[in-house]
Amino acid sequence: MFKQLEKLSDDNLTTEQMEKLIKQNDAIVKTSTILVETGNLILKAKKLEDDSLRANSKLPAMFLEDNGEKGE
């Protein structure tokens, strides 16, 4: 990505080369965005899974107040 940014600052590029480079950069940005969104979705799913597991688990008795609740 940084290499592509460097190329964009090249004053010797023709208009055609610049247009081609811009299209390549757009493709890189779109691909990067999809990768980040996929990673975020996986993270959210893992957090949801973790929260669900915690919601279904019971604390051991030693962590509960003496209110009649019983853990595992």
Side-chain angles (χ1 to χ4, degrees), residues 19-62:
E19 288 173 357
K20 182 179 178 184
L21 192 57
I22 289 170
K23 285 180 184 179
Q24 288 174 346
N25 286 339
D26 285 343
I28 290 170
V29 168
K30 287 177 185 176
T31 303
S32 299
T33 300
I34 291 169
L35 290 172
V36 170
E37 288 173 354
T38 302
N40 283 331
L41 181 60
I42 292 168
L43 179 60
K44 285 179 186 179
K46 288 293 185 183
K47 285 181 179 180
L48 182 62
E49 178 184 42
D50 185 50
D51 290 345
S52 294
L53 290 174
R54 256 190 261 142
N56 293 331
S57 64
K58 294 181 181 177
L59 290 174
M62 62 189 249

